[in-house]
Amino acid sequence: MNKIKQKKIVRNWEYEKLVGIVQLINAFEKGIRSKHDLAEYLNVTEKFLEQAIQHYKEKYGVHYKIDNYIIYFEPTLFIAKMF
């Protein structure tokens, strides 16, 4: 495996570990709405958060459904709870 591919695998793991889907939902449930506050809550930089969102967009597409939630990655990060 070449070094570039290895770095991408490691970086993707970091995104999912530090900015996990469940962590995004937990932040939403706590009332965190701005990217600045979200990055602070997750203890990552805003740039890292943006890169993590891009990673999820590449992995899942425009949105991802989990349990009673739908997370939109485009045009901006948005989480909605379905009833």
Side-chain angles (χ1 to χ4, degrees), residues 16-61:
E16 295 191 22
K17 182 73 173 171
L18 299 174
V19 185
I21 294 290
V22 172
Q23 292 166 301
L24 293 174
I25 291 169
N26 290 340
F28 168 78
E29 286 294 336
K30 290 183 184 220
I32 296 169
R33 299 295 185 262
S34 76
K35 285 188 181 175
H36 173 78
D37 290 343
L38 180 57
E40 190 173 286
Y41 172 79
L42 297 171
N43 201 29
V44 298
T45 65
E46 288 184 57
K47 181 179 179 181
F48 187 89
L49 177 60
E50 286 290 337
Q51 291 169 336
I53 292 167
Q54 181 62 37
H55 160 71
Y56 286 126
K57 196 176 348 178
E58 290 171 6
K59 182 175 181 177
Y60 297 121

